[in-house]
Amino acid sequence: MPQSPPDPPRPQAGRIPAGPSTEPAEPAGADADTPAIGRRVRALREARGISLSALARLAGVGKATLSGLENGTRNPTLETLYAVTAQLGVPLTSVLSGPAAGPTVRGAAVSATLLEVFEDADATYELYRMRVTPGPGQLSPAHQPGVTEHVTVFAGVLRAGPTDAPLTAAAGGHLRWTSDVPHGYAAVGDEEVAASLLLRYPRPK
Amino acid sequence: MPQSPPDPPRPQAGRIPAGPSTEPAEPAGADADTPAIGRRVRALREARGISLSALARLAGVGKATLSGLENGTRNPTLETLYAVTAQLGVPLTSVLSGPAAGPTVRGAAVSATLLEVFEDADATYELYRMRVTPGPGQLSPAHQPGVTEHVTVFAGVLRAGPTDAPLTAAAGGHLRWTSDVPHGYAAVGDEEVAASLLLRYPRPK
DNA sequence: CGCTGCTGTTCCGTAAACGGAACGATCGGA
DNA sequence: TCCGATCGTTCCGTTTACGGAACAGCAGCG
């Protein structure tokens, strides 16, 4: 019996000698936890302030389907899940496993990659990796009331915040503001800015 | 009508003013292209040298299901796709969109993250991002005949290749060997090694 | 030559994911 | 207070993904 495992170290049973489990062992990170997927979809939808009915209509799926998906009572088809995430403007991967990220979405001088969607007792969060290239600042419209933004700068100097009262931070610095007003991001100087962006959406209701 | 779009620039219809399409526009990168997904699953399976029947049995799904999945004639359920990818030892995300990567799989001093699975006329490839920490070299068993490994070193100094005739390369260097013999990876010096690893599996038959 | 064991595909009945319609609950305005 | 609109859930008939069995095509062996 030829032992086959290819090169990059396979998951291998027993990464921690804990369980008596001889099962094939999970492939680190990704999961098919449908309830969790449903929660992430719902979090994204509510963060965008659109109703279940509206999203179902936009995505071309039945309300029953979307309801079941969000509540984790169904085991959605790829086609279904894709139709929904596409409408939410996020890659399919961002609702599957917690981290693992997806492709990038671009604006004028700003690009942001959604790394993770998660939640605690009273808010949902979207974590982005962000790059701001030198040039005219990027403007964003206001969010719903109560939304706050947290930016941590890794490299370069960033001027960001409400358009009428921007803040500035260099590498290692942190900025925070409530983003229910127009606001923007701009690199100060010639250097490109690398930063993380955390959006906090208070839980509706 | 309140305009809602959250902060990080949303996909926005019309990233290139090409089509007369007013559709919502795809979320960059991720796709639900079932035939492509099927091809990637098949590529992974054949690379590991296991039969459709065997994989179906291991994953606990019907042969008909797996056959239909690989041929793109079905629209699989998340549960199904997960059962299969879990058995293949790869994260779900790595078969969904081409790139976009998944979580990391670890060995002793080596960690490798599967970035992409793709294929050309006569081979399938698996591309990994690889990190080798200083310490005793990691050993890998032999692959099937004909498999070649290509390593490009980004940082640090790497000694890798067949156990009885290892090769060495520094940042910018490239290594290649046929990996049907036991082989390993080791960091030279105190520095951690960053590298990409490309496995080439000649197409069976 | 059969026979055995395997490959991957196709057939088929069952289980379940699907979309549409009906439902109770909530909210805002007349 | 009543009405209309919209919210999210539930009911239901249709569609389809599911697993098991039957199938054709090969390879090895007596």
Side-chain angles (χ1 to χ4, degrees):
Chain A
M1 192 185 284
Q3 95 295 28
S4 51
D7 194 31
R10 295 288 295 290
Q12 214 80 292
R15 87 189 43 200
I16 294 176
S21 141
T22 35
E23 260 117 307
E26 266 195 319
D31 62 282
D33 184 352
T34 23
I37 292 173
R39 284 197 305 272
R40 295 191 195 107
V41 168
R42 174 157 292 180
L44 287 166
R45 175 176 65 77
E46 292 183 340
R48 281 155 184 67
I50 63 181
S51 70
L52 186 150
S53 318
L55 179 55
R57 183 169 34 79
L58 287 171
V61 306
K63 298 203 300 180
T65 302
L66 183 52
S67 177
L69 191 166
E70 290 192 353
N71 292 324
T73 61
R74 282 198 194 174
N75 169 26
T77 286
L78 267 190
E79 199 178 22
T80 299
L81 189 56
Y82 174 70
V84 172
T85 54
Q87 270 305 321
L88 290 171
V90 303
L92 222 171
T93 50
S94 62
V95 299
L96 286 179
S97 53
T104 296
V105 168
R106 271 184 200 75
V110 179
S111 73
T113 303
L114 178 56
L115 296 180
E116 197 170 355
V117 178
F118 56 94
E119 55 209 343
D120 63 14
D122 45 22
T124 67
Y125 300 83
E126 299 181 14
L127 177 64
Y128 292 81
R129 177 162 36 82
M130 193 182 194
R131 279 184 32 208
V132 186
T133 56
Q138 163 77 11
L139 216 67
S140 284
H143 292 180
Q144 297 101 303
V147 177
T148 54
E149 305 202 6
H150 299 256
V151 179
T152 304
V153 181
F154 298 138
V157 180
L158 179 71
R159 176 181 297 268
T163 309
D164 56 3
L167 309 161
T168 303
H174 179 89
L175 301 177
R176 186 182 65 83
W177 66 89
T178 57
S179 55
D180 51 2
V181 297
H183 51 279
Y185 315 89
V188 176
D190 295 339
E191 199 181 350
E192 180 175 295
V193 170
S196 71
L197 170 64
L198 182 69
L199 295 185
R200 182 183 190 278
Y201 296 90
R203 187 174 297 283
K205 232 180 268 138
Chain B
M1 190 184 283
Q3 93 297 27
S4 50
D7 197 30
R10 296 286 295 288
Q12 213 79 292
R15 86 188 44 197
I16 293 178
S21 139
T22 36
E23 259 116 307
E26 265 195 320
D31 62 281
D33 184 353
T34 24
I37 292 174
R39 285 198 303 274
R40 295 191 194 106
V41 169
R42 175 156 293 179
L44 286 166
R45 176 175 62 78
E46 292 183 339
R48 281 154 184 67
I50 64 181
S51 70
L52 187 150
S53 318
L55 179 56
R57 182 170 34 79
L58 287 170
V61 306
K63 298 202 298 177
T65 302
L66 183 52
S67 177
L69 191 166
E70 290 192 353
N71 292 323
T73 61
R74 282 199 193 173
N75 170 26
T77 287
L78 267 191
E79 200 178 21
T80 300
L81 189 56
Y82 175 70
V84 172
T85 55
Q87 270 305 321
L88 289 171
V90 303
L92 223 171
T93 51
S94 63
V95 299
L96 287 179
S97 52
T104 296
V105 167
R106 273 186 199 73
V110 178
S111 73
T113 303
L114 179 55
L115 297 179
E116 197 169 356
V117 179
F118 56 95
E119 53 209 345
D120 63 13
D122 44 24
T124 67
Y125 301 83
E126 298 181 13
L127 178 64
Y128 292 80
R129 177 164 35 83
M130 193 182 194
R131 280 185 30 210
V132 185
T133 56
Q138 164 75 12
L139 214 66
S140 286
H143 292 179
Q144 296 100 307
V147 176
T148 54
E149 304 203 7
H150 299 256
V151 179
T152 304
V153 179
F154 297 140
V157 180
L158 179 71
R159 176 181 297 270
T163 308
D164 55 4
L167 309 161
T168 304
H174 178 89
L175 299 177
R176 186 181 66 83
W177 66 87
T178 56
S179 54
D180 50 3
V181 297
H183 50 279
Y185 314 89
V188 176
D190 296 340
E191 200 181 350
E192 180 174 294
V193 170
S196 70
L197 169 64
L198 182 69
L199 295 185
R200 183 184 189 277
Y201 295 89
R203 188 174 295 284
K205 234 180 262 130

